[in-house]
Each structure stands twice: as structure tokens, then as C-alpha cells.
Amino acid sequence: MIPFAALVLVTTAFTEARPIPHPLIIVSRLVNDSDIYANWPTYDQLPLHPSFPTKAAWGVWGDSDELGALNHIRNTTILDAKSEIQLGQTFNLNLQLSMPDPPLNPNRRPLIHAIQPFAGYQDDVVTLNTQISTQFDGLRHFPYSTNFSQSTYQFYNDLITFDDIMAPGGSATLGIQNTAEKGIAGRGILLDWAGWMESKNASFDVFSAIEIPTSDLDAVATWQGLDPTSVFKPGDFLVVRTGFTKQYDALSPHAQAILPYREDANATFIGIEASDATLRWLWDKKLSLVGGDHPAFETLPLGNSPIDGVLRSLHEVFIGGMGNEHWYELPYLRILTKFFASQSST
Ligand SMILES: *[C@@H]1O[C@H](CO)[C@@H](O)[C@H](O)[C@H]1NC(C)=O
Ligand SMILES: *[C@@H]1O[C@H](CO)[C@@H](O)[C@H](O)[C@H]1NC(C)=O
Ligand SMILES: *[C@@H]1O[C@H](CO)[C@@H](O)[C@H](O)[C@H]1NC(C)=O
Ligand SMILES: *[C@@H]1O[C@H](CO)[C@@H](O)[C@H](O)[C@H]1NC(C)=O
Ligand SMILES: *[C@@H]1O[C@H](CO)[C@@H](O)[C@H](O)[C@H]1NC(C)=O
């Protein structure tokens, strides 16, 4: 058993407004700033209290923490990453703001871009659903829920409710501004799953529900000349290239236009397997964020796998449970991959 600071809190003011009562027991780890992994719970020790949802890391960074896995990024993490820079080259990992068009989720509207001319100058005016292009999922985006029912929503550290988000002038708690203010800098590890598959002449369809297991990710690291047991350091970013953007780009405009409108059972996209094995693998590595060149990091549709015995998605556990930001759709990964291939001696 690992030591926790436990505080029993009686709530009155908030229970009425909260469909799910704030946990009556707040349990959190004692975080020692000079030794941040002292008392670090294992995956099996999550959650810290049985009233918390499936594998939630609530309290691991303190009961009022709003940064979650970004806490793995420390001054030393960034200094260590700096020491690995060899070439000083930069790469754009962003899609165009308008892409994909139409958005892969048909409920999302495409970007609207207008030019507003004035006397002597002109401005760009952009109306954007921030989920359609390269983007981060913040901690207000995706709570735990039971069959998507709003009354069952549970957000990271149980700091807010759906009503808090929707209320006019509602709170900014768990907002993406926390991420912007902390800043994201550090070391990313690119695992080129698509390149590994192509090297084996293995065919795959990114528009199917392929579930990439962590055993594949370990094999990809080995294929890239990395030791999967030691290459990751706390605070690293994991970026997986599935080949999604390459296959999407190769579609005809007509095929791109109808892709979002496949019927339910066919609305599938490649991703990482949603499972305890995946969560354990990521938890043990102490990664600060995960990303990829594909729509949802995990396989779509969501939530078809049992996690700790409950049907959950990685979205729920990552965002609602661990405060892990997701980072999607990085098309230029293939440029980066080609670049690394050409630098294979370094
Ligand atoms: C925090 O960690 C440092 C370094 O290991 C140790 O010297 C110190 O005693 C710890 N503080 C507490 C309160 O445990
Ligand atoms: C990181 O650096 C900032 C600026 O020097 C400092 O205020 C902060 O205490 C440092 N954090 C740690 C954990 O050393
Ligand atoms: C969703 O889950 C809630 C809570 O378990 C349950 O009451 C409700 O009937 C479910 N709704 C559907 C459509 O399954
Ligand atoms: C893949 O196919 C190419 C071209 O047919 C061939 O040269 C190569 O040996 C194959 N590689 C594997 C691992 O089968
Ligand atoms: C899925 O696609 C196949 C092949 O195009 C089609 O025959 C089938 O009806 C589709 N299923 C659904 C549920 O749309």
C-alpha cells in the first residue's frame, strides 16, 4: 500500500447542482516537489479510491490539480530534451485549419474563412470548430460517462460538471488555457507503425477498426533501432504514425466527401487498442501526452473494450481520468519519417 493524504470532506453547497455528487472522500497522493515520483501509484493501484471512476488518476497530482499528465514535464525534462537536439531543424506537424473537409465527424461544421477588406489593409476572419484540424483534446472535452448520458458525466479530478461548462459565464476550470500557460516543450518519440508495416509488405486499411496493440509499438521501436524498454523518459510525448493521412490524401475528392457518412457499423478508423494493456504501458512510461496522424488516437468507434472490467474508451480514462492531453492528426509526420529515414546513421 502506498501512502496517501486522505481528507474526508462533507459537501453541502455543491451536491444539489451536481447530478453525481462530488466524492465525499477526497484522496490524494503526497506530492514532493523534489522527488515527484515518491509514492507513485502503479497502474494496479488506480484509482486511489474505490468511489473514483475506472482507472482514474484523480488525486495523483493533488486533489485540485488541473494539469494531469502535463505535470510530468519539469524543468529538467526540458533541459534534458534540449541536450538531444542535433540538427536544429524544425518541422510543421499541423494540418491546414480547414482539413479534413468535410470533417470526419459529420456533426462538425467545416471551417469558414473570409477576408474582410478595409481601407488600406485586410484581415482574415476564421470561424472554427477546434476539433476539425490538428488539435489537442483538453480536459473539458471528454468526461467519463455511462452511454453518453449527461447526468453521469465525470471530469478530471471531479472539478466541474457539464452545467459548469455550459452555464453562461461558467468557470474556466480545466480549460485548455492551463496547457497554454504551462507550455508544452520536451521530447517526442515518433513510432512509425505504418513504415514498419510497409517494411513487412503488410497491407492495412486505416478506414477499418484496426486496433494497434502495444506489442506492435514495442516492435516498431525495435525496428527503428530504439530499445522499447528504455527509450521513453518521464514527460515524453508519444506520437504514432498510422499512415492515416497518407491514405486519406490519396482518396479522390468524392471518396473524401463521403467518408464521414458511412453507416454506423462501417464508421471505423484505425487507432491504438483501448485496453488495460495500453493504459498500463502508457502509465508506466509517465508520458505527458499522446498523439498521432489519425482521428482519435484510439480505434473508432469508441468504447468497445472492457477496461478494468467496464466498457470504457481511452478518451474517458485519458482525459477524464488521467488528465492526458490527446494530440491528433499530424499529417506532416510522414515528412518527419522520411527525414529520419534519410538520417538513419544518426
Ligand atoms: C522530498 O524528497 C526529498 C528528496 O528525496 C527528500 O530529501 C525529502 O525528505 C522529501 N520530503 C518529504 C516531505 O518527504
Ligand atoms: C522551474 O524554473 C522556474 C523558473 O526558474 C522556477 O520558478 C521553478 O521553481 C522551477 N521548477 C522546478 C520544479 O524546479
Ligand atoms: C444509460 O445509462 C443510464 C445509467 O446507467 C441508464 O439509466 C439509462 O437507461 C441508459 N440509457 C440508455 C439509452 O441505455
Ligand atoms: C517486400 O516486397 C518487395 C517488392 O516486392 C520485396 O523486394 C521485399 O523483399 C519484400 N519484403 C518483405 C519483408 O517481404
Ligand atoms: C458496410 O459496408 C458494406 C460494404 O460497403 C455494406 O455492404 C454494409 O451494408 C455496410 N453496413 C452498414 C451497417 O452500413
Side-chain angles (χ1 to χ4, degrees), residues 145-149 151-152:
S145 75
T146 303
N147 61 36
F148 306 122
S149 159
S151 66
T152 65

Side-chain angles (χ1 to χ4, degrees), residues 56-100:
W58 292 5
V60 168
W61 296 105
D63 57 63
S64 55
D65 172 64
E66 295 186 43
L67 286 174
L70 291 181
N71 282 297
H72 289 298
I73 304 175
R74 316 302 285 192
N75 295 4
T76 50
T77 325
I78 297 171
L79 291 172
D80 289 349
K82 186 190 77 169
S83 71
E84 294 194 26
I85 298 172
Q86 294 181 23
L87 299 169
Q89 293 206 18
T90 57
F91 299 90
N92 177 12
L93 294 180
N94 293 319
L95 285 168
Q96 291 174 39
L97 277 184
S98 58
M99 292 298 292

Side-chain angles (χ1 to χ4, degrees), residues 72 132 164 193 270 276 317:
H72 289 298
I132 65 175
D164 294 331
W193 182 85
I270 192 171
D276 279 299
V317 184

Side-chain angles (χ1 to χ4, degrees), residues 312-330:
R312 292 289 193 192
S313 62
L314 289 187
H315 272 68
E316 287 175 282
V317 184
F318 274 2
I319 302 176
M322 297 181 175
N324 228 318
E325 314 263 332
H326 279 59
W327 182 19
Y328 303 131
E329 292 163 8
L330 308 165

